[in-house]
Amino acid sequence: MNMADREKILRFYKGTEGEETAIRLVDNAEAVNKTRKFRTSDFLDPYGQEIAETIAANYDGIRIDFDGGYNGAERQCAALIHDDFMGKVSFDIKIIVAEWNEKFYHIVHRDILGSLMGLGIDRRNLGDLLINPGSVKIICTGKIADFIMNNLATIGAASVSCQYGTLAAIPPREERCKEISVTVASLRIDSIAAAGYGTSRSKMAAEIEADKLKLNWQHIKTPSQLVKEGDIISMRGRGRLEVSQVRGKTKKGRTGLFLKRYI
């Protein structure tokens, strides 16, 4: 890839949520071209993973692999690997188990993420947070694992104790899927999300304004934003909604949809 191609990629993502991710990944790809080895990223959400795949496809002689610490991880690190590299790729992913007394504290995802980021940890260094009653498995980059071990003493009002865990002990992610057949007045995201999550359109518009939903893992600019077949809507604490099929108009002029809701 020459400088013009690099600028073409960066120009495509300029001004979007993926701009900084694209810059880092292009730099990684160019380093791989020079060293003919590999370079791994920090954790990427699914949108960042799509960017990584796009960039790898634009570099001859570079392949890509992903690892989030366990099978089915949503947040994953990307490894850009030169075809000449025959060694083993190291992602350097660690897992820390934090535990608290579940009889007295009900802790949710935002509590854990807030406590970690309150320590000054960049979200890019954190993978999935796997929550069970009384504990959470924190998947993270190796470079911050000791810092978390030494500094994470509380989550919310709960005192926690931390120890290293084993990635191999994490079972593959299992998702329940509910299939939903609905009709909507339009392909606006507030209308589709309301139908998929079983609430009113006005309440869903308020949730969007409160920045609780994302479309294809990107922030939604307005409740009137249009959705197309194949899009993924995610709502904080409510799972993901896939627009599996747009079936066309009914006799009353409404649009038929087939949705899949992953819980």
Side-chain angles (χ1 to χ4, degrees):
M1 175 182 285
N2 57 38
M3 185 60 69
D5 293 329
R6 170 192 167 94
E7 293 305 319
K8 183 178 180 181
I9 288 178
L10 297 183
R11 188 164 54 248
F12 179 79
Y13 291 106
K14 187 174 179 61
T16 71
E17 292 181 39
E19 181 177 6
E20 291 185 5
T21 298
I23 292 171
R24 288 193 295 270
L25 290 169
V26 166
D27 288 343
N28 280 359
E30 294 188 349
V32 169
N33 257 346
K34 291 179 181 178
T35 63
R36 308 182 83 80
K37 294 183 179 180
F38 74 92
R39 185 69 66 90
T40 58
S41 72
D42 291 327
F43 285 97
L44 304 170
D45 63 16
Y47 177 47
Q49 293 163 37
E50 289 181 6
I51 296 173
E53 290 178 331
T54 298
I55 290 172
N58 279 275
Y59 279 85
D60 293 334
I62 291 182
R63 65 187 188 276
I64 191 168
D65 195 10
F66 294 97
D67 192 349
Y70 70 104
N71 189 17
E74 179 173 293
R75 293 177 62 80
Q76 300 191 51
C77 300
L80 297 171
I81 312 160
H82 200 278
D83 285 344
D84 291 346
F85 180 73
M86 304 303 292
K88 183 178 180 181
V89 175
S90 173
F91 283 90
D92 192 25
I93 296 173
K94 303 293 185 183
I95 177 171
I96 292 169
V97 181
E99 299 178 313
W100 59 87
N101 191 329
E102 64 176 298
K103 293 181 180 180
F104 301 107
Y105 302 101
H106 175 65
I107 291 176
V108 296
H109 188 278
R110 64 174 177 270
D111 299 324
I112 299 162
L113 186 59
S115 294
L116 291 167
M117 297 185 72
L119 294 174
I121 296 172
D122 193 310
R123 184 69 174 98
R124 292 182 293 159
N125 288 313
L126 299 171
D128 290 356
L129 304 175
L130 307 177
I131 306 172
N132 294 301
S135 70
V136 58
K137 295 181 177 70
I138 302 168
I139 299 176
C140 62
T141 55
K143 62 188 176 184
I144 66 158
D146 285 344
F147 179 82
I148 294 175
M149 283 286 295
N150 294 329
N151 292 279
L152 184 63
T154 60
I155 296 177
S159 296
V160 301
S161 60
C162 296
Q163 61 183 346
Y164 280 108
T166 305
L167 290 170
I170 304 176
R173 180 173 184 169
E174 294 184 7
E175 290 184 307
R176 291 177 293 159
C177 176
K178 179 181 180 181
E179 298 181 344
I180 306 169
S181 182
V182 296
T183 63
V184 293
S186 74
L187 293 178
R188 287 170 50 123
I189 190 166
D190 57 350
S191 181
I192 293 175
Y197 289 112
T199 188
S200 69
R201 184 170 165 180
S202 60
K203 184 174 181 179
M204 191 54 62
E207 301 281 28
I208 292 170
E209 294 290 351
D211 200 24
K212 292 185 179 180
L213 277 78
K214 289 187 176 182
L215 176 61
N216 297 326
W217 295 277
Q218 300 177 66
H219 292 284
I220 299 167
K221 298 177 181 178
T222 170
S224 64
Q225 191 168 335
L226 297 180
V227 174
K228 64 183 184 301
E229 187 172 293
D231 281 350
I232 302 292
I233 300 168
S234 53
M235 182 176 181
R236 192 186 308 160
R238 300 287 299 277
R240 290 182 287 113
L241 192 67
E242 178 186 349
V243 184
S244 183
Q245 185 179 6
V246 178
R247 292 176 167 171
K249 296 288 186 179
T250 67
K251 292 181 179 180
K252 295 184 178 181
R254 293 173 65 84
T255 301
L257 296 175
F258 181 64
L259 307 174
K260 292 182 179 179
R261 182 176 170 190
Y262 298 90
I263 304 171

